[in-house]
Amino acid sequence: MEDAIHLPLKGKYYHMIKSGQKPEEYREETPYWMKRICGCPATRCKDTKPKTCQGCPVLEDARKPLSIPKRFSAAHFTLGYPKKDDTERNLLKRIIKVTLGRGNPAWGAEPGKEYIIIHLDKTYKP
């Protein structure tokens, strides 16, 4: 799938997503991930909290619930960095939406920290 973002995971989180126990994946809200996932043009943003960037066309007013336009229709997860043909360590999940918010600590998020949240379709099995 051409429009899939590739995300390597640690074993615990890979197996939780594979089993359907974890319906979302988190990435830190940094300029790198904002550009990669959301297409944020602030590639030289000096601020580590992109939602405070001035004039960013991707992010809306912080008082509103934030929703990021997704650039990918699927997420290709790998258990570490396997070979392409290693089907046991490759997983494809459809992305429902991408938002900003606080994640679930049971699924790997730090309490009180803001993340880019990739919401996954639990029923999708290619």
Side-chain angles (χ1 to χ4, degrees), residues 28-95:
E28 288 193 23
E29 192 182 327
T30 63
Y32 172 82
W33 286 110
M34 290 298 293
K35 180 182 179 198
R36 183 149 184 237
I37 295 171
C38 313
C40 180
T43 57
R44 300 194 186 278
C45 182
K46 294 177 186 170
D47 191 341
T48 59
K49 292 287 185 188
K51 70 180 167 186
T52 62
C53 289
Q54 298 298 316
C56 180
V58 174
L59 298 170
E60 300 170 357
D61 186 333
R63 293 177 301 251
K64 299 176 187 174
L66 295 175
S67 181
I68 300 170
K70 66 182 180 187
R71 295 178 53 214
F72 302 98
S73 63
H76 174 228
F77 296 107
T78 59
L79 176 55
Y81 296 91
K83 294 180 181 177
K84 264 188 174 179
D85 61 347
D86 187 348
T87 57
E88 292 298 314
R89 295 177 61 181
N90 284 282
L91 176 65
L92 188 67
K93 288 283 188 174
R94 183 171 298 147
I95 295 174

